[in-house]
Amino acid sequence: MNKTIVGLSLLFATQTAIAADGNFTVKAELKNFGDTVVAMIPQGKTYHRDTILVKNNKFTATLHVDEPKDIYLLSMETLHRKENKQLRIVAVPGETLELKGDVTTRYDIGGTKFYQQYGQFDQQLETAQKALNDLGERLSQRIKAGEDRSKVMDEYEAKAPALEKKVNDAIVGFIKQHADWEASAAAVVALGKDEIEEGVSLLSNTVKSGRMKTYYQNIIKAYKEEAEAEAKSKAAQAAGVVAPNFTLNDINGKPLSLSSLKGRYVLLDFWGSWCIWCIRGMPQMKEYYKKYAGKFEILGIDCNDTEAKWKEAVRKHELPWLHVYNPKDSKVLAEYGVQGFPTKILIGPDGKIVKTVVGEDPSFYKFIDEIFKK
């Protein structure tokens, strides 16, 4: 498996029989994973952590899972948000997965018969994705070299669909050729949310109704719930919608209501001290806050943080605008449909939403220029 696949599709998804003992074994010989690997195993809405020691790039771990499910293997530095080295896999009770290679570049998949079959799919997928991955890498390098991000992304959006179709065609071809392989039920997941149900229809009846059923059904359910949440989010954040009022405590512990700022432009910035992209975007926010001083106010809304870390981040990064703390029992995130960080919502003097941007997007600041240069 080529490491560059990560982010374009599921890293990999595999599943076999559910064994009575509930144990899944992973044997790995992977370079550049460090001396400690952390296994993150979902348990309801939380994660159970298992720590795995690595010696000479090798480790073997037997992990308890009650049913086939996605788990994550992370380096300790990734857990502390200092790097990004992680694998997303499906752990299946009673089965053994073998990995060999380099976590930062590529590795091979093997193990039990099921994983051997999935390894064949993985090799075909890697070949099919090469052109798409190469395009992404070239454009990323151009952005790093200073090219306008929005123009580069326009080029990606123009070229990527044709390459993505070739990838999907390769996945569908594998499923059709091996409809009676359980590994094909795992391959279905690589199709993504818009094509996964069509992929399921290509499986043999035995595989479709067998031990893989719960896993892919749960993923389909998750995709549908995600789509519903996105629709609600777009509706809540749409231009022209009256921004819901709220009252939260400011950095001095005093209540601050959004309604107290009505009559001017207000930029709500949903962020957290833990959010790398939030922090990376602060210098440009500070630049624009100074550039258009008096024309708009920024209200930073700290989320998923402790009050101590929030206050320390405001001090450390010298953020001069208004700040409030959003506690866990607050309904503000739900009312504004916030699903990702950072989320920036510009509210007009009339109290209605003007524009919403999720993530750090240079085009947002061009929009700010257009408004305040008038």
Side-chain angles (χ1 to χ4, degrees):
M1 173 171 283
N2 192 311
K3 181 62 168 61
T4 56
I5 293 173
V6 179
L8 295 173
S9 66
L10 292 180
L11 185 60
F12 61 89
T14 54
Q15 177 178 349
T16 52
I18 301 177
D21 62 7
N23 288 330
F24 162 75
T25 300
V26 55
K27 297 180 179 180
E29 184 176 348
L30 293 170
K31 297 178 181 178
N32 295 312
F33 225 163
D35 57 9
T36 306
V37 171
V38 179
M40 303 287 288
I41 305 171
Q43 290 186 346
K45 294 183 178 181
T46 61
Y47 283 86
H48 169 76
R49 295 182 187 178
D50 276 341
T51 301
I52 306 167
L53 298 181
V54 181
K55 186 175 182 180
N56 297 326
N57 297 321
K58 298 179 181 180
F59 64 87
T60 298
T62 299
L63 307 171
H64 181 77
V65 289
D66 54 0
E67 63 180 358
K69 62 177 64 177
D70 288 334
I71 70 170
Y72 300 84
L73 301 180
L74 297 77
S75 70
M76 186 62 75
E77 293 296 290
T78 299
L79 186 66
H80 296 299
R81 300 188 177 93
K82 295 181 179 179
E83 63 183 17
N84 184 20
K85 295 178 182 178
Q86 59 180 302
L87 309 181
R88 179 179 179 177
I89 64 178
V90 170
V92 182
E95 298 297 331
T96 298
L97 169 67
E98 296 179 3
L99 302 170
K100 187 173 183 178
D102 190 324
V103 72
T104 61
T105 53
R106 74 172 313 282
Y107 47 86
D108 294 318
I109 299 171
T112 56
K113 181 180 178 181
F114 173 84
Y115 286 108
Q116 291 174 18
Q117 292 176 348
Y118 189 83
Q120 293 182 41
F121 165 70
D122 177 68
Q123 291 176 7
Q124 292 187 30
L125 181 63
E126 181 178 340
T127 300
Q129 287 184 319
K130 186 178 186 306
L132 183 61
N133 290 337
D134 288 348
L135 173 65
E137 180 62 26
R138 289 196 305 272
L139 298 185
S140 294
Q141 291 301 321
R142 285 166 53 184
I143 291 174
K144 290 179 181 178
E147 282 195 47
D148 183 86
R149 181 184 180 87
S150 59
K151 290 183 179 179
V152 174
M153 291 308 298
D154 286 344
E155 182 177 340
Y156 179 83
E157 291 174 2
K159 294 180 178 179
L163 298 177
E164 290 170 347
K165 184 179 184 304
K166 289 183 178 180
V167 174
N168 278 351
D169 288 346
I171 297 170
V172 169
F174 180 90
I175 295 170
K176 287 181 176 179
Q177 185 178 359
H178 304 290
D180 58 345
W181 282 14
E182 288 182 318
S184 292
V188 161
V189 179
L191 286 170
K193 59 184 178 182
D194 295 327
E195 298 87 13
I196 186 171
E197 291 187 88
E198 178 185 353
V200 169
S201 70
L202 300 174
L203 299 171
S204 69
N205 289 333
T206 300
V207 172
K208 194 185 305 181
S209 60
R211 56 192 180 183
M212 304 294 288
K213 183 177 180 179
T214 302
Y215 176 69
Y216 68 68
Q217 281 187 336
N218 285 340
I219 292 178
I220 291 173
K221 179 182 177 182
Y223 279 144
K224 290 181 177 179
E225 290 175 349
E226 179 183 308
E228 291 174 359
E230 287 179 356
K232 290 180 180 179
S233 178
K234 288 181 179 180
Q237 298 171 358
V241 171
V242 175
N245 187 40
F246 58 83
T247 301
L248 296 171
N249 287 341
D250 68 13
I251 205 158
N252 296 312
K254 296 181 179 180
L256 175 61
S257 297
L258 175 63
S259 59
S260 68
L261 302 174
K262 191 172 182 179
R264 70 182 93 170
Y265 281 97
V266 179
L267 177 62
L268 302 182
D269 179 38
F270 293 89
W271 72 294
S273 67
W274 48 269
C275 171
I276 295 175
W277 285 106
C278 299
I279 301 303
R280 287 180 180 176
M282 292 304 180
Q284 191 166 20
M285 284 184 65
K286 290 167 72 173
E287 175 189 338
Y288 270 70
Y289 189 64
K290 181 178 180 180
K291 183 177 182 179
Y292 295 113
K295 292 190 175 182
F296 79 112
E297 183 56 75
I298 297 177
L299 179 57
I301 305 173
D302 182 84
C303 306
N304 303 329
D305 235 335
T306 64
E307 288 194 55
K309 289 183 178 179
W310 162 52
K311 292 179 179 180
E312 171 59 20
V314 172
R315 183 199 64 78
K316 177 181 178 180
H317 300 290
E318 300 180 334
L319 308 179
W321 46 81
L322 298 173
H323 293 274
V324 291
Y325 179 71
N326 187 58
K328 290 183 178 180
D329 59 355
S330 167
K331 297 181 180 179
V332 174
L333 290 181
E335 290 176 342
Y336 278 88
V338 176
Q339 297 189 82
F341 297 88
T343 290
K344 294 178 174 61
I345 299 178
L346 182 65
I347 301 172
D350 59 357
K352 295 181 179 180
I353 293 174
V354 177
K355 189 175 182 64
T356 300
V357 173
V358 180
E360 285 302 318
D361 187 347
S363 66
F364 177 72
Y365 292 99
K366 292 182 179 180
F367 182 80
I368 295 293
D369 283 329
E370 292 173 1
I371 289 180
F372 297 127
K373 280 185 177 180
K374 294 179 180 179

